[in-house]
Each structure stands twice: as structure tokens, then as C-alpha cells.
Amino acid sequence: QRPEIIVVTGEEKSQVAFEALRGGANDLLRKPFEKEEFQLRVSAVLALRDTYETIEELQLKTRADLIKLSKYFSNDVIDAILEGKISSEPGGEITRATFMMFDLRGSTTIAEKLGPQKFFVFLSELFSDISDLIFSNGGKINKFTGDGFLVTFGLRHYTEADTHHALNCAFKIREHFNLYNEFVSSEQGEPIQFGIGLTTGDVFAGNIGNVHRVEYTILGDAVNLSARLEALTKKAGVDILMDSTTREILGDSVEATKYSGTTIRGKNSKVDIYFPKA
């Protein structure tokens, strides 16, 4: 720890004081001086040191708390809360984003074969790799759904580039599973499968609850549809499906096959759905 320095001098020139303070002194005391003045100067320097140490401790604790929070909330949500853009009271805003609903296929069967401990290790390692792919493509995991999760791209700051990032992320996840099934020895005895639903639209993002507890959540048709499309991938025999809004935004940058118009639970009319090819 650096010592606190008070320079005592009989020199009257201001340059001496400038050089002393510039060189790291905490204070300067000119002779002659009273004992009481010296004691007050020392007390002030020590009090300032204690203040700086307290601030440093608080900064370290804040950084540690933010790391803990980042395990439960995405960084953009944490920043918005701290900046006051997201209130701690019920309420929110209408915002646009691209949504990815990811789900691991056959997790119940895998869990039965591996047992609780091995299944936990398997799921943790797999989700860690997929989470890295999501974050590297600009996605934020909004919530886990047991054996899957909801991911947002561009929530609260959306541009069409976020939709492109979402599809690229889905393709990267596809590549990861192909490599995993080809090279990683597994006790499952069969390839690991997944499903992804991609949608784009306006949703409500904010707090729901009451005076006792609030939860930051996302509500809207686009989120519900992403879950429906993810579930439909199994019936369609594909790994990724996207809605017409997402398809339109992507334009000619991606080749996609239209899945025959189908009725989605909760929708009165048929929905155009597409299967994207890498």
C-alpha cells in the first residue's frame, strides 16, 4: 500500500508546491505551523485515503454483483435497469426483435440413459457451447425452458441486421450439432437432434407482477409463434423453421423452401413457414 505523503517546507515559491503535488504528495504544509494544523492535515489525508479504499471496495463488489447478475439476465437488460430505462415497477414498452426458440430433442430419453449426474454434465457442456455461439452472434438468452431457451436478437435496439445475425446463429448451431454427432463419442447411441423456430415482430418487453414481486419478461405473438415453429420442426422433419416476416427481411441473402401453409395453434388463418438452407 502506498504511504500517504505530506510535504513540509519553508519555501514560499508556488512552484515548490506544484512540484510536490505533481510528484504524488497528498498535501503540503508550510513552516511555521501549529501542531493543531498538522494534526488536522493528517486527519484529512487519512480520511481521504479511507474514502478511496471504500470506493474501491464498492467498485469491486459492484463488478462481482454484475457478474452474478449476468448469469440470470442479459447484459442489455442489466444496463437498461441500471440506467433507469427499465423501471422496477410493473410496465414496459413495445419493441421489435427477432426471436429464436431452441429446444433439444429427446432430452427425457437421454436423461433416462445417462442418469441425473451424467445428464447434468452433458447438458451443461452442450449448452455452454451453444451459448457461446449465441453471444458471438449478438444474441441474448432471455430465459431457459428446461432443455432449451428463448433467445432475442436486437431487443430494444433492433435493425434488420439482427435478423441476419439470428439466422447465421441458427446455421452455426446446426454446424455444431453436425460436428458433435460426427466426432464426439456419446453414450446416447444415436445422433443428438434439435429444433429452432425463428420469428420477427413487435412484442411487449417489461415488468409484470405486483407490489411484492416483478419479473422482466417478453410477451407477444412473435414469441409464441417461435415456440410453435420450433415444435413444428419435429413434424416437418427439419431442424429450422422461420416465419414469413423473417423470410422477407432476409430477402435474397438466403435460400429457403416454403413449408406448405399450415394452421398454427392460436392462429385463425394459415401461416406461411419457410425452411432455410445454409
Side-chain angles (χ1 to χ4, degrees):
Q1 183 178 2
R2 187 183 74 84
E4 309 306 316
I5 301 172
I6 298 178
V7 174
V8 178
T9 179
E11 181 62 59
E12 294 293 335
K13 292 181 181 179
S14 299
Q15 187 64 30
V16 173
F18 295 155
E19 292 300 328
L21 295 173
R22 192 178 291 120
N26 299 93
D27 199 357
L28 182 138
L29 187 61
R30 284 193 170 87
K31 297 186 291 185
F33 55 83
E34 299 291 334
K35 178 181 178 181
E36 184 178 359
E37 180 184 3
F38 177 76
Q39 292 174 335
L40 289 173
R41 294 289 186 100
V42 171
S43 296
V45 167
L46 293 178
L48 187 60
R49 182 196 64 185
D50 292 342
T51 299
Y52 284 143
E53 289 180 349
T54 300
I55 292 173
E56 186 175 355
E57 291 174 359
L58 290 173
Q59 288 175 333
L60 291 173
K61 184 178 184 304
T62 299
R63 282 194 287 268
D65 290 343
L66 288 175
I67 292 174
K68 293 176 184 177
L69 284 173
S70 66
K71 302 294 184 181
Y72 298 91
F73 304 96
S74 61
N75 289 332
D76 58 333
V77 171
I78 294 174
D79 291 341
I81 292 173
L82 296 178
E83 293 170 5
K85 296 178 181 177
I86 295 179
S87 171
S88 60
E89 301 298 324
E93 61 182 330
I94 302 299
T95 183
R96 191 171 182 83
T98 292
F99 302 93
M100 171 194 291
M101 184 66 75
F102 168 88
D103 184 72
L104 183 67
R105 292 279 178 259
S107 58
T108 301
T109 302
I110 297 173
E112 290 177 349
K113 290 182 178 180
L114 297 181
Q117 184 63 37
K118 288 185 177 180
F119 179 68
F120 169 78
V121 174
F122 158 76
L123 204 61
S124 296
E125 293 177 348
L126 184 64
F127 278 11
S128 177
D129 292 337
I130 296 173
S131 296
D132 289 341
L133 292 174
I134 290 170
F135 289 123
S136 65
N137 283 276
K140 309 292 183 183
I141 296 178
N142 177 260
K143 67 173 63 176
F144 283 90
T145 59
D147 51 3
F149 30 73
L150 172 66
V151 184
T152 65
F153 292 83
L155 186 69
R156 304 181 68 249
H157 302 285
Y158 174 80
T159 68
E160 291 189 353
D162 293 304
T163 302
H164 290 267
H165 294 327
L167 180 64
N168 184 63
C169 181
F171 286 158
K172 292 293 183 182
I173 292 175
R174 176 189 283 169
E175 292 174 8
H176 180 78
F177 271 84
N178 289 339
L179 290 172
Y180 184 93
N181 289 323
E182 183 176 355
F183 295 108
V184 180
S185 61
S186 151
E187 298 180 41
Q188 288 78 264
E190 58 186 32
I192 307 300
Q193 305 293 337
F194 71 96
I196 286 178
L198 289 174
T199 59
T200 303
D202 295 332
V203 295
F204 168 86
N207 299 321
I208 60 172
N210 51 47
V211 294
H212 302 290
R213 184 178 184 274
V214 295
E215 178 180 353
Y216 186 81
T217 190
I218 302 172
L219 302 172
D221 182 62
V223 175
N224 297 334
L225 183 58
S226 67
R228 302 286 187 266
L229 296 188
E230 179 278 310
L232 188 60
T233 57
K234 190 172 184 179
K235 177 182 178 181
V238 298
D239 53 4
I240 304 170
L241 287 174
M242 60 184 177
D243 69 343
S244 57
T245 302
T246 302
R247 174 71 188 94
E248 183 179 351
I249 293 171
L250 294 170
D252 297 332
S253 65
V254 62
E255 182 181 354
T257 302
K258 184 176 180 180
Y259 183 71
S260 58
T262 185
T263 301
I264 300 293
R265 183 160 59 92
K267 292 280 191 179
N268 294 324
S269 57
K270 289 186 176 181
V271 177
D272 291 332
I273 302 170
Y274 297 84
F275 167 65
K277 301 178 182 178

